[in-house]
């Protein structure tokens, strides 16, 4: 009888299991029909940092997945679904266009392409993509906002006093536009 699990004739005592390991497909990382992922810089890969890249702890919350609770011991958090949590002392958080994070975060770097609601403290660079929306208490070291990205709430540069937006600015986009109150009758002179 010649089955995939039988030992070949002529090699008695040889286990078939090692040959089956090569037949097991590896885990596929890319999901068909999903938008391309942006990879947030970790500051660890290819450098001589304190944590080698092989020891980096990464959590990916995929589309249509919801997670709630407290997240500890996570170097990189990628949110494509929904997360309601408290994340402390991580290195990088990336919220994809489809992602929603509700809660509080203290992190080194952040790349926001989806929605964030709550308290966010970014010791390094907070990057808000054109599809990114942040509502809440925002603290950052440096800020990069693409045209169309939105920030609403209390905004504070680390080490400085908070900047409280006016009610009109509370939901305004980052793109520059003329104030609505000045449009009535000012164009003709």
């Amino acid at each position: 009888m010649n089955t995939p699990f039988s030992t070949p004739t002529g090699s008695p005592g040889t286990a078939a299991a090692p040959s089956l390991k090569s037949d097991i497909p590896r885990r596929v990382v890319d999901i068909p029909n999903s938008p391309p992922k942006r990879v947030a810089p970790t500051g660890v890969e290819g450098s001589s940092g304190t944590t080698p890249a092989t020891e980096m702890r990464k959590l990916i919350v995929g589309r249509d997945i919801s997670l709630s609770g407290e997240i500890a011991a996570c170097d990189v958090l990628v949110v494509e679904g929904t997360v309601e949590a408290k994340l402390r002392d991580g290195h990088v958080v990336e919220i994809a266009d489809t992602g929603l994070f509700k809660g509080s975060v203290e992190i080194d770097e952040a790349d926001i392409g989806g929605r964030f609601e709550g308290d966010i403290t970014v010791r390094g660079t907070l990057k808000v993509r054109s599809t990114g929306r942040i509502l809440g208490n925002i603290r950052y070291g440096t800020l990069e906002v693409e045209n169309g990205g939105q920030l609403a709430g209390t905004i504070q540069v680390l080490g400085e006093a908070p900047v409280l937006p006016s009610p009109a600015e509370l939901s305004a986009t980052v793109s520059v536009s003329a104030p609505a109150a000045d449009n009535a009758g000012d164009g003709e002179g």
Side-chain angles (χ1 to χ4, degrees):
M1 175 154 99
N2 193 9
T3 65
F5 298 106
S6 64
T7 58
T9 59
S11 46
T14 305
S19 66
L20 289 178
K21 284 187 179 180
S22 64
D23 295 338
I24 298 172
R26 297 188 142 243
R27 183 179 72 136
V28 177
V29 177
D30 293 327
I31 300 171
N33 299 324
S34 68
K37 295 180 183 179
R38 286 191 293 267
V39 177
T42 62
V44 174
E45 295 146 349
S47 70
S48 59
T50 57
T51 307
T54 57
E55 294 180 22
M56 187 170 48
R57 299 160 297 191
K58 185 174 188 177
L59 174 62
I60 300 173
V61 179
R63 287 179 160 211
D64 300 324
I65 295 178
S66 295
L67 174 72
S68 63
E70 185 166 337
I71 301 173
C74 182
D75 293 327
V76 178
L77 173 64
V78 179
V79 180
E80 297 172 351
T82 302
V83 173
E84 292 186 41
K86 177 180 180 180
L87 172 63
R88 296 282 181 239
D89 297 324
H91 293 292
V92 177
V93 66
E94 176 184 343
I95 302 175
D97 297 356
T98 59
L100 168 62
F101 189 104
K102 291 182 179 182
S104 63
V105 170
E106 287 182 19
I107 202 88
D108 292 332
E109 304 288 327
D111 187 343
I112 312 297
R115 292 185 320 179
F116 182 95
E117 298 175 7
D119 299 329
I120 184 169
T121 300
V122 182
R123 293 176 285 273
T125 302
L126 168 59
K127 182 179 281 189
V128 182
R129 303 284 178 172
S130 62
T131 56
R133 312 287 181 259
I134 301 177
L135 174 64
N137 297 315
I138 305 160
R139 297 171 32 136
Y140 61 90
T142 58
L143 178 65
E144 294 179 22
V145 182
E146 292 180 356
N147 190 20
Q150 296 180 356
L151 302 171
T154 304
I155 302 170
Q156 179 180 359
V157 178
L158 290 177
E160 294 184 8
V163 176
L164 299 174
S166 69
E169 295 171 327
L170 203 59
S171 63
T173 61
V174 176
S175 60
V176 178
S177 61
D182 293 341
N183 290 339
D186 283 343
E188 300 175 26

